[in-house]
Amino acid sequence: MKLGIVGLPNVGKSTLFNSLTKAGAESANYPFCTIDPNVGIVMVPDERLKLLGDMYQSKKVTPAVIEFVDIAGLVKGASKGEGLGNQFLSNIREVDAIVHVVRCFEDTNVIHVDGCINPMRDIETINFELIFSDLEILERRYAKVVKAARMDKTLAKEQALIEQLKDHLEAGKLAKSFVTEDEDELALLKEYNLLTYKPVIYAANVAEDDLADDGATNEGVQAVREFAKTENSEVFVICAQIEQEISELDDDEKAMFLEDLGLSESGLEKLIKASYSLLGLISYLTAGEDETRAWTIKVGTKAPQAAGKIHSDFERGFIKAEVVNYKDLLENGSLAAAREKGLVGMEGKEYVVKDGDVILFRFNV
């Protein structure tokens, strides 16, 4: 999974990125500067993996990972070259979802580019810049399609779609609110990789005092939540400054620190839950002496396609999947013991994989 982080300057965007990617331990070497995009790989915390890895005494435990891409802060007029412009938006066109960091805290020491705190205005500013960037993409595509349509009449449908999309965006609407049930048009919409067509998770960045009640008394957070409902987006409340402090701690210290703050989970864990929920993702597990590993798949994925995540041969030669719930496996101490109690199922091609399934695939190529 790949997530792109956007927001105005001084909203806590890079602080959040730094803390998230540090918390993930295994990060690539990447430059921390305002101009080049920062890219970091974060391991998805999963207690199930540790427990299964201990049970099997696995040589290797491999969690699922998320790649974060942090770009320079956008300002009003970025599409016209204000600030650093919007040339960095191309770096997040390939992401699965956008994390939009919105400032919901007052701090006289941290200047707001527009002079005062107003989360809804900030969201509108960023959305307009994303719309302008999408319009540039569509203009370029439109020029090619119009030229090619003179020789190929089948492109008339795409030409009409782009015209409708441009009108939609120019009216200040996001591409994801464009309604069509035509399969060809839906395929083209995905192909265009428009930023405003991507799912969004709003990270409401608050002061430490607003963390304990999850921003319930923060008017800015409430406004963001209400807005997010209208577009089926996710929201999670975070204090980027606190996240940075948490990222410096080991697991035991982290747990104590969170408890002192009255929190049950870190911002990274909140973000992962929000992104898995928004994108309709779950994890199934494989376990053994060599490796215990998490595999991320879409909700509704059937056993052969889940096997294909490991290797295409597994999908091509799929015979059966031996499936047990991770809790049943842990409680019984071994696959053999779980099998004796009838807790292991032999599933065929139509089996829909569930979150937390531990699977042994049988295949023949």
Side-chain angles (χ1 to χ4, degrees), residues 72-108:
L74 295 168
V75 295
K76 191 172 184 176
S79 56
K80 298 183 178 74
E82 292 295 323
L84 288 168
N86 69 358
Q87 69 265 40
F88 309 109
L89 287 174
S90 59
N91 294 302
I92 58 167
R93 287 223 172 258
E94 303 299 324
V95 300
D96 299 302
I98 288 172
V99 179
H100 184 161
V101 183
V102 187
R103 180 171 164 180
C104 298
F105 68 90
E106 296 280 358
D107 187 341
T108 52

Side-chain angles (χ1 to χ4, degrees), residues 4-25:
I5 304 177
V6 301
L8 294 169
N10 296 341
V11 295
K13 190 171 59 65
S14 292
T15 305
L16 175 61
F17 171 82
N18 292 350
S19 60
L20 291 179
T21 50
K22 195 164 189 178

